[in-house]
Amino acid sequence: MADKKAILVNAKGMKLAGSGEALDKLNKKAAVLPNADASGLADKAVALGGVKCAPADIASTLEKSVLAVVDGAEDALAAALDAANRRTVLVVAADDGVAFYGLGINGKAGKVARKVDAGDVALTIATIADMPIGEDCEAGVIYQVLKDPNLKLNELIKLQEALARMESVIERNNREPWDKHDCA
């Protein structure tokens, strides 16, 4: 789906275990990976097609790009939470781990003990946000943070079912569902 978006907050100097209005909101429904090594994550996100921006420019960056990469701490996190909607995955790389929040994320996962690196985090972002993945990828998707490990399979099944319904309508040569609307 083309309208999926992702925001990466590169929060050097910030601790996920800290407190603050934005951190409290994040921690309520985030899946946290305390054993994550996020070194080089911002560079990997930019290599995926992410665009670096200032916290105030997140919303305008997401109008042009699928992935916004922002540096900062609590202020950047607050701006990212404001810019995010239900079709946005938010990833926060802090000093004490990485947190996933939003689209497709299991908010009840809590802390996930799996050891991951920046490549795994970047691949998971790309998978959720439908971004292209290079053939030299050696990372793994972090399924433990996903609400549905079969996310992509279920999306394909829904699309195949919709296509089958459309093909049956075309075969019947009957526009019944569409004749009722002016948009047809």
Side-chain angles (χ1 to χ4, degrees):
M1 305 289 168
D3 58 344
K4 293 180 183 177
K5 302 291 181 178
I7 303 169
L8 170 63
V9 178
N10 194 20
K12 298 287 185 211
M14 186 176 84
K15 301 268 188 204
L16 293 171
S19 65
E21 188 176 330
L23 266 172
D24 292 343
K25 181 178 179 181
L26 175 76
N27 285 325
K28 282 182 184 176
K29 293 186 178 180
V32 179
L33 297 153
N35 297 323
D37 176 15
S39 57
L41 179 57
D43 294 332
K44 290 189 181 296
V46 170
L48 280 173
V51 177
K52 284 194 170 201
C53 65
D57 299 330
I58 294 173
S60 62
T61 300
L62 289 177
E63 290 176 7
K64 303 172 199 148
S65 176
V66 174
L67 173 59
V69 180
V70 61
D71 291 329
E74 181 83 18
D75 60 329
L77 176 58
L81 286 167
D82 287 342
N85 61 28
R86 65 181 193 84
R87 305 285 296 159
T88 307
V89 62
L90 172 62
V91 180
V92 181
D95 291 345
D96 59 345
V98 174
F100 281 83
Y101 175 91
L103 175 67
I105 302 303
N106 182 1
K108 297 177 183 174
K111 292 189 178 188
V112 178
R114 177 178 168 182
K115 290 186 178 187
V116 297
D117 63 14
D120 298 329
V121 175
L123 178 62
T124 304
I125 293 169
T127 300
I128 294 170
D130 294 336
M131 298 175 70
I133 300 165
E135 63 186 36
D136 60 341
C137 178
E138 295 179 355
V141 174
I142 309 168
Y143 290 104
Q144 292 82 2
V145 301
L146 297 180
K147 195 179 292 183
D148 179 11
N150 294 315
L151 175 76
K152 293 300 167 188
L153 178 62
N154 291 336
E155 285 180 2
L156 279 173
I157 290 169
K158 285 181 185 177
L159 289 171
Q160 288 170 340
E161 289 170 352
L163 181 61
R165 286 191 307 270
M166 290 174 63
E167 287 174 342
S168 70
V169 168
I170 290 170
E171 286 175 6
R172 288 191 323 242
N173 198 18
N174 181 353
R175 294 177 39 93
E176 180 65 31
W178 293 286
D179 285 339
K180 298 177 183 177
H181 304 285
D182 291 334
C183 60

